[in-house]
Amino acid sequence: MENKNISPLLEVRDLHVEVEGKEVIKGIDLALYGGAKLALMGPNGSGKSSLSMALMGHPGYKVKSGSIILDGNDITGLSPDKRAKVGLFLAMQNPVSVPGVSVANFLRAIMKAKRGEEVPIREFREMLVKAMGLLEMERSFANRYVNDGFSGGEKKKLELLQMVLLNPKVAVVDEIDSGLDVDALKIVADGVNRITGENNAFLLITHYRRILDYIRPDGVVVLMEGRIVASGGPELINQIDRQGYDWLSAKTA
Amino acid sequence: MRQPVKDIMVGDDYASKFGFSSPEEYYFRAPKKGLSHELVEMMSKMKKEPDWMREFRHKALDTFWAKPMPTWGNQEALGRIDFDDIYYYIKPIEQMGQTWDDVPEDIKHTFERLGIPEAERKFLSGVSAQYESETVYHSIRDEISKLGVIFLGMDSGLMEHEDIVRRFFGTLIPPTDNKFAALNSAVWSGGSFIYVPPGVHVDIPLQAYFRINAKNMGQFERTLIIADKGARVHYIEGCTAPVYSSSSLHSAVVELIALEDAYIRYTTIQNWSNNIYNLVTKRAIAYKNATVEWVDGNIGSMLTMKYPCVVLAGENARGEILSVAFGGTGQHQDAGAKVFHMAPRTSSTITSKSISKGGGRTTYRGWVKTTANAEDVRVSVKCDALILDPTSRSDTYPTMEIGNPKVRIEHEASVSKLSDDQLFYLMSRGLSENESRVLIVNGFIEQFVKELPMEYAVELNRLIELEMEGSVG
Ligand SMILES: Nc1ncnc2c1ncn2[C@@H]1O[C@H](COP(=O)(O)OP(=O)(O)OP(=O)(O)O)[C@@H](O)[C@H]1O
Ligand SMILES: [Mg+2]
């Protein structure tokens, strides 16, 4: 237990990432400890999603140098499914649709993958009903095809539903708040809060303070042009909310 | 869950599941390979057929010899067929069984391994099992036959209901239709004969299972289904064969007749081993207000050439052809659909899904025609091809001939590759690359799978899983 507290759940060391031949992450260091909720902010195109994709191992986002350590395991070269098995989860900004695959079948398949054996149908139903209840989702949602014709908010809810069911050690949550109405935002934030604890950590990518008012991160880092240009406590969030990012770029220029 | 085929486990291949063989024992086999009028004469005599059928066969044989090979499909593979190296008739047992206990042990065991008796007990109205050239087992539930439904092997059908057979046999697909229809007409044996009386509904499916066990064998079953006015019937066929290095030929002719207000659904799960030529002619006619649906799944075979057809002959008749083709390594699925709108207010829907993988090929070949008198016709054609790797191939050849301007046509076609983003999405949730591919492919064919009875849906998803195993990436 002692050890857990001193070594981070997620550690990123001098990470450089290229997409389509262009360097988009230009040397990032990060450490997330158990119980941490860290906000990641930054202007459009600053590299937030690229970082999250590289963390999860999307083949289009190539790690040029540096390393990613998850709970003591170097996952830098692993395929996405192996990273998931070690306990990483990414709630994506734009999840793709998988036509013809029902939400229920999909969730059952990922539960099976996590557990290494089939989840008995009754147990699965109970878990699903509970998790969907938590996120105030309609039952009929389970019969729809994954993200197929989903509204923006519905996509976000499905990402969160998976996160709740998989209960990852480290979750990177990319703009889970965009496209959500006020009520949905609160439900989603409650969902995140409910599964946070001493044994997991969250990296929350967002543009808006509102979700952070609900989730209350312990700190924030600001990304600009692929580099971390500032980090601080909750007061930095307020400052960004009031002043935007210009003053930061002026500072680093 | 119940499955017609038991114990399919991921990772086992076709050979151990379906591709096993039994010793080649038979009651009678054509004395030599190859075709001749003597052979046709002998078959017809052995089957104690009426003269008109014997003459029909002889004429068809001449037609077969006179006809050129099809000019479409896979010319190269067709060219490799050696018609002199095939046994055209193998009669496995002397007498067909009415119960499974009447069926010789090794044949019975084959069908048990394929799960047929179990499926019969659980969810079918009747079963016909063909082994080599003959129907070896046949049964229909009492409550179905009490309604006047006739479900027989085609040979028995001819013996017992000559008048009906003579009226319809070969009317939709005459021997002159194409070379393989002629061949079938000359040496046909086995298949199903079904007649459903007016107003009778057979909603629990009737099933036929076709098994080729011998090497260098030709199987030429002949099926004729007649749904009388207002009748309904669902017929399912499945097929498998042992894996051999030498090829066998399966060439069926299937004719469906849906009289006024009738409904026929014909479902096929074709899973021949990869040494089988599957060259089949299937055609249906739908009279006024009648509906015919072909639900056609092609997973196996080396080369399949098959284009189920519906002739919409009466007002308001409806035709639907829903198909899936899986072209894996060494396979070419040249499949498609044909619809002829010959009456006003008829409608048709063609949905074709094809998947090619590991150097396999799929081809969609479609022909929709409307005649001058066919007003207010609706046509919808949708073809989607999924190509899983760069060595695989898919081609689409849709043809439309519209004879009347009052027609509403929708036509969509798409060719897609397996999307990296979909793969990444699924893998990021812990599914392996192969599990992710299987899920995407099963999603791609879901529209087809959901039309199958549950047991077959489960089975088809597992077949796809088997096909997707190995040789990835
Ligand atoms: N798949 C891709 N192909 C090409 N360029 C990409 C790709 N993904 C990201 N980029 C580029 O990398 C840079 C960073 O983009 P990224 O999506 O990481 O920004 P972001 O911080 O998440 O922005 P936003 O706040 O708008 O979501 C941008 O210039 C973007 O155009
Ligand atoms: Mg982004």
Side-chain angles (χ1 to χ4, degrees), chain A residues 165-179:
Chain A
L165 288 171
L166 292 176
N167 191 23
K169 280 185 203 142
V170 175
V172 180
V173 181
D174 194 355
E175 295 202 23
I176 197 76
D177 50 339
S178 67

Side-chain angles (χ1 to χ4, degrees), chain B residues 375-424:
Chain B
E375 276 191 352
D376 298 321
V377 156
R378 275 178 300 145
V379 178
S380 161
V381 180
K382 193 168 187 293
C383 309
D384 297 319
L386 181 63
I387 302 178
L388 295 184
D389 45 49
T391 58
S392 303
R393 173 173 165 188
S394 176
D395 302 282
T396 303
Y397 304 102
T399 306
M400 294 224 187
E401 271 177 60
I402 304 301
N404 185 305
K406 288 179 78 180
V407 58
R408 213 174 78 209
I409 300 176
E410 291 167 40
H411 187 198
E412 278 176 57
S414 77
V415 179
S416 49
K417 301 201 162 58
L418 202 71
S419 131
D420 282 345
D421 286 326
Q422 278 182 341
L423 216 50
F424 170 66

Side-chain angles (χ1 to χ4, degrees), chain A residues 53 56 58 80-81 84-85 89-90 92 95-97 99-101 106 109-110 113 145 147 159 162, chain B residues 1 419-422 424-433 435 439-440 442-444 446-447 450:
Chain A
M53 291 297 211
M56 197 70 237
H58 190 296
D81 53 323
K85 293 230 158 90
F89 182 86
L90 168 61
M92 294 185 203
V96 293
S97 66
V101 177
F106 169 57
I110 68 177
Y145 296 146
N147 291 322
E159 292 297 280
Q162 294 174 61
Chain B
M1 257 178 274
S419 131
D420 282 345
D421 286 326
Q422 278 182 341
F424 170 66
Y425 184 71
L426 298 179
M427 287 176 76
S428 79
R429 306 302 139 102
L431 300 173
S432 72
E433 181 167 349
E435 286 164 346
L439 206 60
I440 293 167
N442 278 330
F444 177 73
E446 161 70 7
Q447 208 185 336
K450 72 173 192 240

Side-chain angles (χ1 to χ4, degrees), chain A residues 19-25 41-53 58 60-61 93-94 174-175 205-207 223 226, chain B residues 421:
Chain A
V19 57
E20 302 277 324
K22 181 179 118 186
E23 192 177 26
V24 289
I25 298 298
M41 300 183 81
N44 293 130
S46 56
K48 303 181 297 298
S49 295
S50 300
L51 174 63
S52 71
M53 291 297 211
H58 190 296
Y61 296 77
Q93 184 174 1
N94 298 307
D174 194 355
E175 295 202 23
I205 300 173
T206 183
H207 288 293
L223 203 60
Chain B
D421 286 326

Side-chain angles (χ1 to χ4, degrees), chain B residues 235-256:
Chain B
Y235 178 82
I236 300 180
E237 61 172 3
C239 47
T240 55
V243 176
Y244 290 130
S245 54
S246 61
S247 57
S248 285
L249 171 61
H250 173 255
S251 193
V253 166
V254 177
E255 295 170 294
L256 312 184

Side-chain angles (χ1 to χ4, degrees), chain B residues 212-228:
Chain B
I212 296 177
N213 181 62
K215 294 192 187 84
N216 298 89
M217 154 82 199
Q219 191 178 60
F220 305 96
E221 91 268 10
R222 182 97 194 184
T223 288
L224 175 61
I225 300 177
I226 300 144
D228 212 322

